Amino acid sequence: MRNSIFLGLDNGNAYTKSSEGFSCQSGFTKSDVEPITKQNLLIYQGIYYSIGNNRSSVQLDKTQTQDAFIISLAAIADAINKAGIEQKADVFLGVGLPIIHYGKMKHKFREYFIRDNIKFSFNGSDYAVNIVDCKVYPQGYAAFINIYKDYKNVSVANVIDIGGYTTDFFIVENGIINTATCYSLPNGTITLFASIQQELLKININLTEKQIQDIILGKQPVLFDADINKMIEIKAKEYVENLLTKILEYGFEFRNPTIIVGGGGMMLKKYIESSNKIKYVENLDQFANARGYKILLEQELRR
């Protein structure tokens, strides 16, 4: 008898995260021959994938390539290991889409994941899984589900999901999403990284997105001086202020509580909290969407 795994999976353009705490950059290096480094090595259909060592190009429709599916296998292997079960399992996935794409793409995204007899190896262990079902939910609101009980009696609250490629935002009223207030801007943190990289190239410095992220988070690089740190901090602050200004132009009121979700929200937490535009802010961690997908998945399958 096969085991069952229920897994929430957030297939972001910058990072892929799971409800069980798995996280990696949304990309891989592909090879027909076994690479030297075995860490995070996935083997599927005779191809070697070094998972998470870079970020793939932004994909608005992830069903156009196998990339999201390949990275999902690593997250499934991680969930099976953490559950302490045999490496044969029936998998039930909860995934998400930006709210503005949800109605149009949810059926296609669901069908993309459902497959039988998937055999692969990850970090030296062999797995055989069936993805029996996949449910698709609106991202951002899925993250909000984690704290729904705290806001179900609050008349109005803002939710802002800062992702890699997009920033999605909407209003919840007594815990229920107002679908007329759902918007998306194509300026997630990837655009911030690109702006910083272009500025640094003017002085012949080439930093990776990960290095820039570390500096924004306050981690001190070894070989770079304080002027570079200061420039990156200024750019991050400008990004946050410009983003909040754009959201205000859509008629949002920041005197109401504002819930910030997404990996970008966590990275930029200090800049958001220090802005004089926002009066009350609550930050949810980068796994909130994935945990929300799992909550919604289990609720739906229990009906």
Side-chain angles (χ1 to χ4, degrees):
M1 182 176 178
R2 299 174 72 93
N3 296 287
S4 293
I5 288 287
F6 297 84
L7 181 66
L9 197 58
D10 182 359
N11 306 96
N13 279 299
Y15 283 84
T16 296
K17 294 145 287 189
S18 82
S19 54
E20 314 311 301
F22 174 87
S23 177
C24 73
Q25 277 193 291
S26 293
F28 50 73
T29 301
K30 180 179 176 182
S31 176
D32 292 328
V33 296
E34 187 172 355
I36 296 172
T37 302
K38 306 297 192 298
Q39 186 177 7
N40 294 331
L41 180 63
L42 186 141
I43 307 170
Y44 176 64
Q45 295 182 337
I47 304 296
Y48 298 88
Y49 300 90
S50 296
I51 300 293
N53 59 0
N54 59 20
R55 177 181 63 77
S56 298
S57 300
V58 170
Q59 298 175 10
L60 297 182
D61 182 357
K62 295 183 175 65
T63 67
Q64 296 300 305
T65 72
Q66 286 280 81
D67 293 8
F69 173 74
I70 295 297
I71 299 169
S72 297
L73 295 181
I76 289 170
D78 174 79
I80 289 173
N81 287 340
K82 286 175 177 173
I85 62 175
E86 283 185 42
Q87 283 127 349
K88 294 181 179 180
D90 288 332
V91 178
F92 297 82
L93 284 182
V95 300
L97 288 169
I99 287 177
I100 63 166
H101 297 146
Y102 177 72
K104 181 179 178 181
M105 296 181 62
K106 65 179 181 179
H107 297 298
K108 188 178 182 182
F109 204 41
R110 175 178 183 268
E111 292 169 0
Y112 170 78
F113 283 105
I114 297 175
R115 314 184 189 197
D116 288 331
N117 196 29
I118 307 163
K119 295 181 179 179
F120 66 97
S121 172
F122 185 62
N123 282 340
S125 296
D126 294 326
Y127 299 86
V129 305
N130 299 319
I131 301 180
V132 177
D133 203 354
C134 176
K135 303 294 185 181
V136 185
Y137 305 102
Q139 69 185 42
Y141 189 66
F144 174 76
I145 288 297
N146 291 272
I147 54 170
Y148 168 80
K149 291 180 180 178
D150 297 332
Y151 287 88
K152 66 180 181 179
N153 295 318
V154 175
S155 58
V156 177
N158 310 308
V159 179
I160 303 174
D161 185 348
I162 306 175
Y165 181 68
T166 62
T167 295
D168 305 315
F169 49 101
F170 53 89
I171 289 171
V172 290
E173 299 169 348
N174 297 111
I176 305 301
I177 188 170
N178 180 340
T179 55
T181 67
C182 298
Y183 302 98
S184 183
L185 296 172
N187 59 345
T189 55
I190 290 172
T191 62
L192 169 61
F193 295 147
S195 173
I196 292 170
Q197 287 171 330
Q198 287 299 310
E199 197 69 24
L200 290 172
L201 285 174
K202 295 176 183 177
I203 53 175
N204 297 316
I205 294 175
N206 189 1
L207 295 186
T208 66
E209 290 182 358
K210 180 66 167 60
Q211 287 174 304
I212 294 170
Q213 178 176 289
D214 284 347
I215 292 172
I216 292 173
L217 289 170
K219 300 177 183 178
Q220 295 301 314
V222 176
L223 300 176
F224 299 100
D225 58 38
D227 289 343
I228 293 172
N229 285 21
K230 186 66 177 176
M231 184 276 286
I232 291 174
E233 289 180 0
I234 290 171
K235 292 289 254 183
K237 183 176 181 179
E238 288 176 350
Y239 169 87
V240 167
E241 292 301 318
N242 290 337
L243 179 62
L244 295 177
T245 297
K246 288 178 181 178
I247 294 172
L248 285 171
E249 291 171 355
Y250 283 82
F252 282 61
E253 174 55 76
F254 285 149
R255 291 182 182 84
N256 296 319
T258 298
I259 299 130
I260 306 290
V261 305
M266 284 297 296
M267 181 183 72
L268 297 164
K269 179 179 178 181
K270 72 175 182 179
Y271 300 99
I272 296 168
E273 291 180 343
S274 64
S275 173
N276 59 15
K277 289 184 173 67
I278 288 189
K279 303 306 177 185
Y280 172 83
V281 61
E282 179 172 357
N283 282 82
L284 304 185
D285 69 36
Q286 65 266 38
F287 297 101
N289 269 313
R291 289 198 304 270
Y293 300 149
K294 183 176 179 179
I295 291 169
L296 293 167
L297 173 70
E298 292 180 330
Q299 287 177 347
E300 186 170 354
L301 292 180
R302 279 201 300 264
R303 291 174 187 166

